Amino acid sequence: MTPPANPHARTRVSGPYTLVEVAGEIDLATAGLVADHLDAATAVPAPDVLVDLREVEFLDCSGLRVLCRAQERAVRAGGRLRVVCDQPYLHRLLGATGLLGRFPPLTSVPGGVRNRTE
């Protein structure tokens, strides 16, 4: 069951994948709101999850931990989790934490799906 949308995350199905759109500041106080959506998205067999980070203004280790846990759950279920990110600072953060290889970012959502502000 998909959790209700909140100011930091919402989920929708787009073609063959589940799109989790994340926005705002993702830190210790808000990471749980994102985790609820990622947990639901990865709770199915062979999930194909896209996490759209293009509207994220700040991401700390709490947000990275949520992404790593969700990616591990997706792989264990026979699926995958990918991130969509076009901000240089997030690319630098993923590189500095050694996660760039684990989450090679896509620059846009496949299929032309627009994010929440477009």
Side-chain angles (χ1 to χ4, degrees):
M1 183 168 156
T2 302
N6 63 63
H8 298 284
R10 75 175 181 174
T11 300
R12 59 185 161 145
V13 175
S14 178
Y17 50 83
T18 301
L19 178 65
V20 178
E21 296 172 303
V22 181
E25 295 185 7
I26 308 306
D27 55 20
L28 184 59
T30 59
L33 297 170
V34 175
D36 291 343
H37 284 263
L38 292 174
D39 287 349
T42 57
V44 300
D48 191 359
V49 180
L50 285 174
V51 183
D52 187 348
L53 301 175
R54 293 178 292 176
E55 296 298 319
V56 169
E57 299 163 7
F58 175 81
L59 184 73
D60 74 0
C61 61
S62 301
L64 291 173
R65 183 176 60 246
V66 165
L67 284 175
C68 289
R69 191 184 88 196
Q71 191 260 348
E72 289 168 0
R73 286 176 50 124
V75 170
R76 274 196 315 267
R80 64 182 175 170
L81 182 140
R82 298 173 288 165
V83 299
V84 178
C85 166
D86 58 3
Q87 297 117 319
Y89 90 90
L90 284 176
H91 286 232
R92 286 191 304 275
L93 176 64
L94 291 172
T97 57
L99 295 173
L100 196 57
R102 187 171 181 176
F103 298 108
L106 303 170
T107 56
S108 63
V109 175
V113 174
R114 298 188 182 275
N115 63 9
R116 63 171 80 205
T117 60
E118 293 180 302

